Amino acid sequence: MNARNQYAMQDPRKQYATGDTHYDKSQPDPGLDTKLSPQADHGEDSYQGSGRLQGRKALITGGDSGIGRAVAIAFAREGADVVISYLPSEQPDAETTLQQLKKAGVNAYGVPGDIADEAFCKALVAQTISKLGSIDILVNNAGKQQFVADLADLSTKQFTQTFTTNVFAMFWLCKAALTHMPAGASIINTTSIQSYQPSAGLLDYASTKGAITSFTKALAKMLIDKGIRVNAVAPGPIWTPLQQSGGQPPEKLDNFGKHVPLGRPGQPAELAPAYVYLASQESSYVTAEVIGVTGGEHLP
Ligand code: NAD
Ligand code: MG
Protein backbone atom coordinates (compact mmCIF):
# COMPACT_ATOMS: atom_id res chain seq x y z
CA MET A 1 0.00 0.00 0.00
CA ASN A 2 1.30 3.46 -0.94
CA ALA A 3 -0.76 5.41 1.58
CA ARG A 4 0.64 8.82 0.67
CA ASN A 5 1.32 8.31 -3.03
CA GLN A 6 -1.74 9.56 -4.89
CA TYR A 7 -0.33 8.42 -8.24
CA ALA A 8 0.33 4.74 -7.52
CA MET A 9 -2.57 2.48 -8.52
CA GLN A 10 -4.03 0.98 -5.35
CA ASP A 11 -7.27 0.01 -3.63
CA PRO A 12 -8.86 3.40 -2.69
CA ARG A 13 -10.54 1.84 0.36
CA LYS A 14 -7.14 1.11 1.83
CA GLN A 15 -5.23 4.19 0.66
CA TYR A 16 -5.63 5.82 4.08
CA ALA A 17 -6.66 4.81 7.58
CA THR A 18 -10.10 3.22 7.65
CA GLY A 19 -13.22 4.46 9.43
CA ASP A 20 -12.37 2.21 12.37
CA THR A 21 -9.80 4.73 13.59
CA HIS A 22 -10.64 6.41 16.91
CA TYR A 23 -10.91 10.12 16.30
CA ASP A 24 -12.42 11.03 19.66
CA LYS A 25 -10.14 13.92 20.66
CA SER A 26 -11.43 17.46 20.32
CA GLN A 27 -9.99 21.00 20.34
CA PRO A 28 -11.47 24.53 20.48
CA ASP A 29 -12.88 26.27 17.37
CA PRO A 30 -11.14 27.16 15.08
CA GLY A 31 -9.16 23.94 15.23
CA LEU A 32 -5.51 23.74 14.25
CA ASP A 33 -3.86 21.20 11.96
CA THR A 34 -0.84 21.36 14.27
CA LYS A 35 -3.06 19.85 16.99
CA LEU A 36 -5.03 17.46 14.76
CA SER A 37 -4.78 13.88 15.91
CA PRO A 38 -4.20 11.78 13.89
CA GLN A 39 -2.48 14.13 11.43
CA ALA A 40 -4.02 14.66 7.96
CA ASP A 41 -2.42 14.38 4.51
CA HIS A 42 -2.35 17.61 2.48
CA GLY A 43 -0.16 16.21 -0.29
CA GLU A 44 3.04 17.54 1.28
CA ASP A 45 4.96 14.38 0.32
CA SER A 46 3.05 13.48 -2.84
CA TYR A 47 1.51 16.25 -4.97
CA GLN A 48 3.45 16.66 -8.23
CA GLY A 49 2.82 19.77 -10.30
CA SER A 50 3.09 19.97 -14.08
CA GLY A 51 2.71 23.70 -14.82
CA ARG A 52 -1.08 23.61 -15.06
CA LEU A 53 -1.44 27.00 -13.28
CA GLN A 54 1.84 28.61 -14.33
CA GLY A 55 1.85 32.34 -13.48
CA ARG A 56 -1.76 32.39 -12.20
CA LYS A 57 -2.63 34.49 -9.13
CA ALA A 58 -4.84 32.79 -6.55
CA LEU A 59 -6.66 33.88 -3.38
CA ILE A 60 -7.69 30.98 -1.13
CA THR A 61 -9.74 31.63 2.03
CA GLY A 62 -9.09 29.23 4.90
CA GLY A 63 -5.86 28.27 3.13
CA ASP A 64 -4.02 27.66 6.41
CA SER A 65 -5.36 24.18 7.11
CA GLY A 66 -7.42 21.25 5.91
CA ILE A 67 -8.77 21.30 2.36
CA GLY A 68 -7.56 24.89 1.82
CA ARG A 69 -3.99 23.91 2.70
CA ALA A 70 -4.04 20.97 0.28
CA VAL A 71 -5.41 23.26 -2.46
CA ALA A 72 -2.77 25.92 -1.72
CA ILE A 73 0.07 23.35 -1.91
CA ALA A 74 -1.26 21.95 -5.20
CA PHE A 75 -1.76 25.42 -6.74
CA ALA A 76 1.78 26.46 -5.76
CA ARG A 77 3.28 23.28 -7.20
CA GLU A 78 1.32 23.96 -10.41
CA GLY A 79 3.07 27.35 -10.60
CA ALA A 80 0.52 29.78 -9.08
CA ASP A 81 1.34 32.66 -6.73
CA VAL A 82 -0.95 32.34 -3.73
CA VAL A 83 -2.49 34.47 -0.97
CA ILE A 84 -4.07 32.51 1.87
CA SER A 85 -6.49 34.04 4.38
CA TYR A 86 -7.18 32.67 7.86
CA LEU A 87 -8.16 33.76 11.38
CA PRO A 88 -5.39 35.39 13.48
CA SER A 89 -5.42 32.47 15.97
CA GLU A 90 -4.46 30.14 13.10
CA GLN A 91 -1.06 31.80 12.54
CA PRO A 92 0.91 28.58 13.36
CA ASP A 93 -0.99 26.63 10.66
CA ALA A 94 -0.63 29.51 8.19
CA GLU A 95 3.14 29.57 8.70
CA THR A 96 3.44 25.84 8.04
CA THR A 97 1.41 26.23 4.82
CA LEU A 98 3.37 29.31 3.68
CA GLN A 99 6.65 27.40 4.16
CA GLN A 100 5.34 24.68 1.85
CA LEU A 101 4.24 27.23 -0.77
CA LYS A 102 7.57 29.06 -0.73
CA LYS A 103 9.41 25.75 -1.09
CA ALA A 104 7.51 25.34 -4.37
CA GLY A 105 9.30 28.49 -5.61
CA VAL A 106 6.26 30.76 -5.97
CA ASN A 107 5.27 34.00 -4.21
CA ALA A 108 3.10 33.25 -1.19
CA TYR A 109 1.53 35.56 1.38
CA GLY A 110 -0.75 35.21 4.38
CA VAL A 111 -3.46 37.72 5.34
CA PRO A 112 -5.06 37.10 8.76
CA GLY A 113 -8.54 38.48 9.50
CA ASP A 114 -12.22 37.74 9.98
CA ILE A 115 -14.15 37.29 6.71
CA ALA A 116 -17.42 37.71 8.62
CA ASP A 117 -16.59 41.44 8.39
CA GLU A 118 -17.39 43.02 5.00
CA ALA A 119 -14.68 45.67 5.44
CA PHE A 120 -12.08 42.92 5.96
CA CYS A 121 -13.26 41.10 2.81
CA LYS A 122 -12.68 44.29 0.80
CA ALA A 123 -9.28 44.78 2.47
CA LEU A 124 -8.33 41.15 1.74
CA VAL A 125 -9.01 41.66 -1.96
CA ALA A 126 -7.12 44.97 -1.95
CA GLN A 127 -4.13 43.35 -0.22
CA THR A 128 -4.18 40.45 -2.67
CA ILE A 129 -4.08 42.89 -5.59
CA SER A 130 -1.23 44.86 -4.02
CA LYS A 131 0.76 41.62 -3.54
CA LEU A 132 -0.17 39.67 -6.70
CA GLY A 133 -1.51 42.30 -9.14
CA SER A 134 -4.54 40.23 -10.24
CA ILE A 135 -6.96 37.56 -9.05
CA ASP A 136 -7.17 34.78 -11.63
CA ILE A 137 -8.50 32.18 -9.20
CA LEU A 138 -10.71 32.87 -6.17
CA VAL A 139 -11.29 29.87 -3.89
CA ASN A 140 -14.04 30.55 -1.33
CA ASN A 141 -13.16 27.75 1.05
CA ALA A 142 -13.31 29.18 4.60
CA GLY A 143 -16.25 27.80 6.54
CA LYS A 144 -17.81 27.48 9.96
CA GLN A 145 -19.45 24.27 11.20
CA GLN A 146 -20.69 23.76 14.77
CA PHE A 147 -22.86 20.73 15.59
CA VAL A 148 -26.00 21.45 17.70
CA ALA A 149 -28.29 18.47 18.29
CA ASP A 150 -31.47 20.28 19.38
CA LEU A 151 -33.24 23.14 17.65
CA ALA A 152 -33.89 24.77 21.05
CA ASP A 153 -30.11 25.02 21.61
CA LEU A 154 -29.32 26.53 18.21
CA SER A 155 -28.90 30.25 18.93
CA THR A 156 -29.69 33.14 16.62
CA LYS A 157 -26.07 34.20 17.17
CA GLN A 158 -24.70 30.91 15.80
CA PHE A 159 -27.22 30.80 12.94
CA THR A 160 -26.20 34.34 11.93
CA GLN A 161 -22.45 33.67 12.29
CA THR A 162 -22.61 30.51 10.19
CA PHE A 163 -24.48 32.33 7.40
CA THR A 164 -22.21 35.37 7.60
CA THR A 165 -19.01 33.30 7.39
CA ASN A 166 -20.15 30.74 4.83
CA VAL A 167 -22.48 32.75 2.56
CA PHE A 168 -22.20 36.53 3.06
CA ALA A 169 -18.37 36.48 3.01
CA MET A 170 -18.45 34.60 -0.30
CA PHE A 171 -20.80 37.29 -1.72
CA TRP A 172 -18.59 40.13 -0.44
CA LEU A 173 -15.38 38.51 -1.73
CA CYS A 174 -16.80 37.70 -5.19
CA LYS A 175 -18.11 41.24 -5.52
CA ALA A 176 -14.83 42.86 -4.46
CA ALA A 177 -12.65 40.49 -6.52
CA LEU A 178 -14.69 40.67 -9.72
CA THR A 179 -13.31 44.03 -10.86
CA HIS A 180 -9.81 42.49 -10.73
CA MET A 181 -10.64 39.22 -12.50
CA PRO A 182 -9.79 38.88 -16.22
CA ALA A 183 -11.59 36.68 -18.76
CA GLY A 184 -10.39 33.12 -18.17
CA ALA A 185 -10.52 33.57 -14.40
CA SER A 186 -12.16 30.93 -12.22
CA ILE A 187 -14.17 31.11 -8.98
CA ILE A 188 -14.37 27.88 -6.97
CA ASN A 189 -16.64 27.60 -3.92
CA THR A 190 -16.50 24.84 -1.33
CA THR A 191 -19.97 23.46 -0.82
CA SER A 192 -20.63 20.04 0.80
CA ILE A 193 -22.47 16.74 0.61
CA GLN A 194 -24.52 18.51 3.33
CA SER A 195 -26.06 20.61 0.55
CA TYR A 196 -27.72 17.43 -0.75
CA GLN A 197 -27.95 15.11 2.28
CA PRO A 198 -28.24 17.37 5.35
CA SER A 199 -27.58 15.85 8.78
CA ALA A 200 -29.64 16.52 11.87
CA GLY A 201 -27.45 18.66 14.11
CA LEU A 202 -26.03 20.66 11.19
CA LEU A 203 -29.18 22.68 10.43
CA ASP A 204 -27.47 26.05 10.02
CA TYR A 205 -24.36 24.65 8.31
CA ALA A 206 -26.25 22.42 5.85
CA SER A 207 -28.52 25.36 4.97
CA THR A 208 -25.49 27.52 4.13
CA LYS A 209 -24.12 24.76 1.90
CA GLY A 210 -27.44 24.59 0.04
CA ALA A 211 -27.16 28.36 -0.45
CA ILE A 212 -23.56 28.02 -1.70
CA THR A 213 -24.60 25.47 -4.33
CA SER A 214 -27.38 27.73 -5.65
CA PHE A 215 -25.17 30.84 -5.42
CA THR A 216 -22.53 29.05 -7.50
CA LYS A 217 -24.96 28.17 -10.28
CA ALA A 218 -26.60 31.62 -10.42
CA LEU A 219 -23.26 33.46 -10.32
CA ALA A 220 -21.92 31.23 -13.11
CA LYS A 221 -24.79 32.36 -15.35
CA MET A 222 -24.20 35.99 -14.33
CA LEU A 223 -20.44 36.00 -14.97
CA ILE A 224 -20.10 33.98 -18.16
CA ASP A 225 -20.67 37.26 -20.03
CA LYS A 226 -17.27 38.27 -18.68
CA GLY A 227 -15.62 34.95 -19.55
CA ILE A 228 -15.40 33.96 -15.89
CA ARG A 229 -16.35 30.43 -14.83
CA VAL A 230 -17.87 29.61 -11.42
CA ASN A 231 -18.00 26.09 -10.01
CA ALA A 232 -18.01 24.30 -6.67
CA VAL A 233 -16.51 21.23 -5.03
CA ALA A 234 -18.70 19.20 -2.65
CA PRO A 235 -16.55 17.22 -0.20
CA GLY A 236 -17.87 14.29 1.81
CA PRO A 237 -16.43 13.55 5.28
CA ILE A 238 -12.84 14.83 5.21
CA TRP A 239 -10.41 14.61 8.12
CA THR A 240 -9.68 18.27 9.03
CA PRO A 241 -9.58 20.49 12.16
CA LEU A 242 -13.15 21.67 11.42
CA GLN A 243 -14.48 18.23 12.36
CA GLN A 244 -12.41 17.99 15.55
CA SER A 245 -13.38 21.47 16.86
CA GLY A 246 -17.15 21.21 17.21
CA GLY A 247 -18.07 20.26 13.62
CA GLN A 248 -19.07 16.89 15.06
CA PRO A 249 -19.74 15.97 18.71
CA PRO A 250 -16.71 14.04 20.07
CA GLU A 251 -18.64 10.72 20.18
CA LYS A 252 -19.46 11.07 16.47
CA LEU A 253 -15.77 11.47 15.64
CA ASP A 254 -15.28 7.83 16.52
CA ASN A 255 -15.54 5.93 13.24
CA PHE A 256 -15.70 9.25 11.34
CA GLY A 257 -16.38 8.59 7.65
CA LYS A 258 -17.03 4.88 8.10
CA HIS A 259 -20.61 5.18 6.74
CA VAL A 260 -19.65 6.11 3.15
CA PRO A 261 -19.23 3.39 0.48
CA LEU A 262 -15.42 3.74 0.62
CA GLY A 263 -15.64 3.01 4.37
CA ARG A 264 -13.19 5.70 5.47
CA PRO A 265 -12.86 9.51 5.73
CA GLY A 266 -11.23 11.39 2.87
CA GLN A 267 -7.96 13.26 3.28
CA PRO A 268 -7.50 16.90 2.16
CA ALA A 269 -4.94 15.70 -0.43
CA GLU A 270 -7.73 13.82 -2.20
CA LEU A 271 -9.63 17.09 -2.80
CA ALA A 272 -6.86 19.18 -4.35
CA PRO A 273 -6.95 17.70 -7.90
CA ALA A 274 -10.63 18.71 -8.31
CA TYR A 275 -9.77 22.34 -7.46
CA VAL A 276 -6.75 22.30 -9.79
CA TYR A 277 -8.96 21.01 -12.62
CA LEU A 278 -11.60 23.72 -12.04
CA ALA A 279 -8.93 26.44 -11.75
CA SER A 280 -7.05 25.48 -14.91
CA GLN A 281 -7.99 26.00 -18.54
CA GLU A 282 -8.53 22.21 -18.80
CA SER A 283 -12.06 22.84 -17.49
CA SER A 284 -12.78 25.53 -20.12
CA TYR A 285 -16.26 24.08 -20.92
CA VAL A 286 -17.23 23.57 -17.27
CA THR A 287 -19.22 26.22 -15.39
CA ALA A 288 -22.19 26.19 -12.95
CA GLU A 289 -21.04 22.67 -12.02
CA VAL A 290 -20.48 20.90 -8.71
CA ILE A 291 -17.86 18.16 -8.45
CA GLY A 292 -18.51 15.68 -5.65
CA VAL A 293 -15.55 14.15 -3.80
CA THR A 294 -17.65 12.19 -1.37
CA GLY A 295 -16.28 8.66 -0.90
CA GLY A 296 -19.24 7.32 -2.90
CA GLU A 297 -22.21 9.15 -1.38
CA HIS A 298 -22.71 10.87 -4.78
CA LEU A 299 -24.59 14.04 -5.66
CA PRO A 300 -28.11 13.74 -7.12
P1 NAD B 1 -10.51 23.79 8.27
O1 NAD B 1 -10.89 24.12 9.66
O2 NAD B 1 -9.13 23.35 8.02
O3 NAD B 1 -10.78 25.05 7.32
C1 NAD B 1 -11.78 25.99 7.54
C2 NAD B 1 -11.12 27.35 7.52
O4 NAD B 1 -12.12 28.36 7.53
C3 NAD B 1 -10.26 27.63 8.75
O5 NAD B 1 -8.93 27.22 8.54
C4 NAD B 1 -10.36 29.13 8.88
O6 NAD B 1 -9.19 29.76 8.41
C5 NAD B 1 -11.50 29.52 7.97
N1 NAD B 1 -12.47 30.36 8.68
C6 NAD B 1 -13.51 29.97 9.45
N2 NAD B 1 -14.14 31.05 9.94
C7 NAD B 1 -13.49 32.14 9.45
C8 NAD B 1 -13.67 33.54 9.59
N3 NAD B 1 -14.68 34.06 10.32
N4 NAD B 1 -12.78 34.37 8.97
C9 NAD B 1 -11.76 33.86 8.23
N5 NAD B 1 -11.57 32.54 8.05
C10 NAD B 1 -12.42 31.70 8.67
O7 NAD B 1 -11.58 22.72 7.75
P2 NAD B 1 -11.93 22.15 6.28
O8 NAD B 1 -12.76 20.95 6.55
O9 NAD B 1 -10.74 22.06 5.43
O10 NAD B 1 -12.91 23.27 5.71
C11 NAD B 1 -12.76 23.88 4.45
C12 NAD B 1 -14.11 23.95 3.76
O11 NAD B 1 -14.53 22.63 3.45
C13 NAD B 1 -15.23 24.57 4.57
O12 NAD B 1 -16.01 25.42 3.75
C14 NAD B 1 -16.06 23.37 4.99
O13 NAD B 1 -17.40 23.71 5.20
C15 NAD B 1 -15.89 22.51 3.76
N6 NAD B 1 -16.22 21.09 3.94
C16 NAD B 1 -15.54 20.32 4.80
C17 NAD B 1 -15.88 18.99 4.95
C18 NAD B 1 -15.17 18.08 5.91
O14 NAD B 1 -15.63 16.96 6.12
N7 NAD B 1 -14.05 18.48 6.48
C19 NAD B 1 -16.94 18.45 4.19
C20 NAD B 1 -17.62 19.27 3.31
C21 NAD B 1 -17.25 20.60 3.19
MG1 MG C 1 -7.57 26.47 9.92
Coordinates of all heavy atoms in Angstrom, one line a residue, residues 256-287:
F256 N -15.4 8.2 12.3 CA -15.7 9.2 11.3 C -15.5 8.8 9.9 O -14.4 8.2 9.6 CB -14.8 10.5 11.6 CG -15.0 11.6 10.7 CD1 -16.2 12.4 10.7 CD2 -14.0 12.0 9.8 CE1 -16.4 13.5 9.9 CE2 -14.2 13.1 8.9 CZ -15.4 13.8 9.0
G257 N -16.5 8.9 9.1 CA -16.4 8.6 7.6 C -16.6 7.1 7.3 O -16.6 6.7 6.2
K258 N -16.9 6.3 8.3 CA -17.0 4.9 8.1 C -18.3 4.6 7.3 O -18.4 3.5 6.6 CB -17.1 4.2 9.4 CG -16.9 2.7 9.3 CD -16.9 2.0 10.6 CE -16.7 0.5 10.4 NZ -16.7 -0.3 11.7
H259 N -19.3 5.5 7.4 CA -20.6 5.2 6.7 C -20.6 5.3 5.2 O -21.5 4.8 4.6 CB -21.7 6.1 7.3 CG -21.4 7.6 7.0 ND1 -20.4 8.3 7.6 CD2 -21.9 8.4 6.1 CE1 -20.3 9.5 7.1 NE2 -21.3 9.6 6.2
V260 N -19.6 5.9 4.6 CA -19.7 6.1 3.2 C -19.2 4.8 2.4 O -18.6 4.0 3.1 CB -18.8 7.3 2.7 CG1 -19.2 8.6 3.4 CG2 -17.3 7.0 2.8
P261 N -19.6 4.6 1.2 CA -19.2 3.4 0.5 C -17.7 3.0 0.6 O -17.4 1.9 0.6 CB -19.7 3.6 -1.0 CG -20.9 4.5 -0.8 CD -20.5 5.4 0.4
L262 N -16.9 4.1 0.5 CA -15.4 3.7 0.6 C -15.0 3.3 2.0 O -13.9 2.8 2.2 CB -14.6 4.9 0.2 CG -13.9 4.7 -1.2 CD1 -14.9 5.0 -2.3 CD2 -12.7 5.6 -1.3
G263 N -15.9 3.5 3.0 CA -15.6 3.0 4.4 C -14.6 3.8 5.2 O -14.1 3.3 6.2
R264 N -14.2 4.9 4.7 CA -13.2 5.7 5.5 C -13.4 7.2 5.2 O -14.0 7.6 4.2 CB -11.8 5.3 5.0 CG -11.5 5.6 3.6 CD -10.0 5.4 3.3 NE -9.7 5.7 1.8 CZ -9.5 6.9 1.3 NH1 -9.5 7.9 2.0 NH2 -9.2 7.0 0.0
P265 N -12.8 8.1 6.0 CA -12.9 9.5 5.7 C -11.9 9.8 4.6 O -10.9 9.1 4.4 CB -12.4 10.2 7.0 CG -11.6 9.1 7.8 CD -12.2 7.8 7.3
G266 N -12.2 10.9 3.9 CA -11.2 11.4 2.9 C -10.2 12.2 3.5 O -10.3 12.7 4.6
Q267 N -9.0 12.4 2.8 CA -8.0 13.3 3.3 C -7.9 14.5 2.4 O -8.3 14.4 1.2 CB -6.6 12.5 3.1 CG -6.5 11.4 4.1 CD -6.3 11.8 5.6 OE1 -5.7 12.8 5.9 NE2 -6.9 11.0 6.5
P268 N -7.5 15.7 3.0 CA -7.5 16.9 2.2 C -6.8 16.7 0.8 O -7.2 17.3 -0.2 CB -6.8 17.9 3.1 CG -7.1 17.4 4.5 CD -7.2 15.9 4.4
A269 N -5.7 15.9 0.8 CA -4.9 15.7 -0.4 C -5.8 15.1 -1.5 O -5.5 15.4 -2.7 CB -3.8 14.7 -0.2
E270 N -6.9 14.4 -1.2 CA -7.7 13.8 -2.2 C -8.7 14.8 -2.8 O -9.3 14.5 -3.8 CB -8.5 12.6 -1.6 CG -7.6 11.5 -1.1 CD -8.3 10.4 -0.4 OE1 -8.8 10.5 0.7 OE2 -8.5 9.4 -1.1
L271 N -8.8 16.0 -2.3 CA -9.6 17.1 -2.8 C -8.9 18.0 -3.8 O -9.5 18.5 -4.7 CB -10.1 18.0 -1.6 CG -11.4 17.6 -0.9 CD1 -12.6 17.7 -1.8 CD2 -11.3 16.2 -0.3
A272 N -7.6 18.2 -3.6 CA -6.9 19.2 -4.4 C -7.0 19.0 -5.9 O -7.2 20.0 -6.6 CB -5.4 19.2 -3.9
P273 N -6.9 17.8 -6.4 CA -7.0 17.7 -7.9 C -8.2 18.2 -8.5 O -8.2 18.8 -9.6 CB -6.8 16.2 -8.2 CG -6.1 15.7 -7.0 CD -6.6 16.5 -5.8
A274 N -9.4 18.2 -7.8 CA -10.6 18.7 -8.3 C -10.5 20.2 -8.4 O -11.0 20.8 -9.4 CB -11.8 18.3 -7.4
Y275 N -9.9 20.9 -7.4 CA -9.8 22.3 -7.5 C -8.8 22.8 -8.6 O -9.0 23.8 -9.2 CB -9.3 22.9 -6.1 CG -10.3 22.8 -5.0 CD1 -10.5 21.6 -4.3 CD2 -11.0 23.9 -4.6 CE1 -11.5 21.6 -3.3 CE2 -12.0 23.9 -3.6 CZ -12.2 22.7 -2.9 OH -13.1 22.7 -1.9
V276 N -7.7 22.0 -8.7 CA -6.7 22.3 -9.8 C -7.4 22.2 -11.2 O -7.3 23.1 -12.0 CB -5.5 21.4 -9.7 CG1 -4.6 21.5 -11.0 CG2 -4.7 21.6 -8.5
Y277 N -8.2 21.2 -11.4 CA -9.0 21.0 -12.6 C -9.9 22.2 -12.9 O -9.9 22.8 -14.0 CB -9.8 19.7 -12.6 CG -10.8 19.5 -13.7 CD1 -10.4 19.4 -15.0 CD2 -12.1 19.6 -13.4 CE1 -11.3 19.2 -16.0 CE2 -13.1 19.4 -14.4 CZ -12.6 19.3 -15.7 OH -13.5 19.1 -16.8
L278 N -10.7 22.6 -11.9 CA -11.6 23.7 -12.0 C -10.9 25.1 -12.2 O -11.4 26.0 -12.8 CB -12.6 23.8 -10.9 CG -13.6 22.6 -10.8 CD1 -14.4 22.7 -9.5 CD2 -14.5 22.6 -12.0
A279 N -9.7 25.2 -11.6 CA -8.9 26.4 -11.7 C -8.3 26.6 -13.1 O -8.1 27.7 -13.6 CB -7.9 26.5 -10.7
S280 N -7.9 25.4 -13.7 CA -7.0 25.5 -14.9 C -7.9 25.6 -16.2 O -9.1 25.3 -16.1 CB -6.2 24.2 -15.0 OG -6.9 23.2 -15.5
Q281 N -7.3 25.9 -17.3 CA -8.0 26.0 -18.5 C -8.5 24.6 -19.0 O -9.3 24.6 -19.9 CB -7.1 26.7 -19.6 CG -7.8 27.3 -20.7 CD -8.8 28.4 -20.3 OE1 -8.6 29.1 -19.3 NE2 -9.8 28.6 -21.1
E282 N -8.0 23.6 -18.4 CA -8.5 22.2 -18.8 C -10.0 22.1 -18.6 O -10.7 21.3 -19.3 CB -7.9 21.1 -17.9 CG -6.4 21.0 -18.2 CD -5.7 20.3 -17.1 OE1 -5.6 20.8 -16.0 OE2 -5.2 19.2 -17.3
S283 N -10.6 22.9 -17.7 CA -12.1 22.8 -17.5 C -12.8 24.0 -18.2 O -13.8 24.5 -17.7 CB -12.4 22.9 -16.0 OG -11.8 24.1 -15.4
S284 N -12.3 24.4 -19.4 CA -12.8 25.5 -20.1 C -14.3 25.4 -20.4 O -14.9 26.5 -20.6 CB -12.0 25.7 -21.4 OG -12.0 24.5 -22.1
Y285 N -14.8 24.2 -20.6 CA -16.3 24.1 -20.9 C -17.1 23.7 -19.7 O -18.3 23.3 -19.8 CB -16.4 23.0 -22.0 CG -17.6 23.1 -22.9 CD1 -17.9 24.3 -23.5 CD2 -18.5 22.0 -23.0 CE1 -19.1 24.4 -24.3 CE2 -19.7 22.1 -23.8 CZ -19.9 23.3 -24.4 OH -21.1 23.4 -25.2
V286 N -16.5 23.9 -18.5 CA -17.2 23.6 -17.3 C -17.5 24.8 -16.5 O -16.6 25.5 -16.0 CB -16.3 22.6 -16.4 CG1 -17.1 22.2 -15.1 CG2 -16.0 21.4 -17.2
T287 N -18.8 25.1 -16.3 CA -19.2 26.2 -15.4 C -20.6 25.9 -14.8 O -21.3 25.1 -15.4 CB -19.2 27.6 -16.1 OG1 -19.2 28.6 -15.1 CG2 -20.3 27.8 -17.1

